[in-house]
């Protein structure tokens, strides 16, 4: 996946991987057990991870 993204820094590559995993995980979680995911705040935790990745990247661009 990252062999084509050599223009990204290692930190950006890790964040991109985290975002890809979280997004696919949310879809899988909601497909397999939406009630459990919502009751245990798993979706909220995943969204917090996405927010953190985005906020850190945008903060560095300033």
């Amino acid at each position: 996946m990252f062999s084509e993204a050599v223009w990204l820094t290692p930190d950006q590559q890790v964040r991109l991987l985290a975002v890809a995993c979280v997004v696919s995980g949310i879809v899988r979680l909601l497909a397999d057990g939406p009630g459990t995911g919502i009751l245990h705040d798993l979706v909220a935790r995943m969204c917090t991870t996405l927010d953190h990745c985005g906020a850190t990247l945008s903060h560095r661009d300033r």
Side-chain angles (χ1 to χ4, degrees):
M1 175 178 174
F2 296 118
S3 61
E4 298 170 5
V6 294
W7 49 273
L8 293 173
T9 67
D11 184 55
Q12 290 171 326
Q13 290 179 9
V14 169
R15 290 177 190 284
L16 180 60
L17 180 61
V19 168
C21 290
V22 169
V23 169
S24 64
I26 288 174
V27 172
R28 205 171 315 128
L29 176 69
L30 291 175
D32 293 341
T36 302
I38 292 169
L39 287 175
H40 295 286
D41 273 345
L42 299 176
V43 175
R45 291 179 196 175
M46 291 179 168
C47 289
T48 300
T49 302
L50 290 175
D51 287 343
H52 177 73
C53 288
T56 305
L57 287 176
S58 65
H59 177 66
R60 288 184 179 172
D61 292 339
R62 293 181 191 168

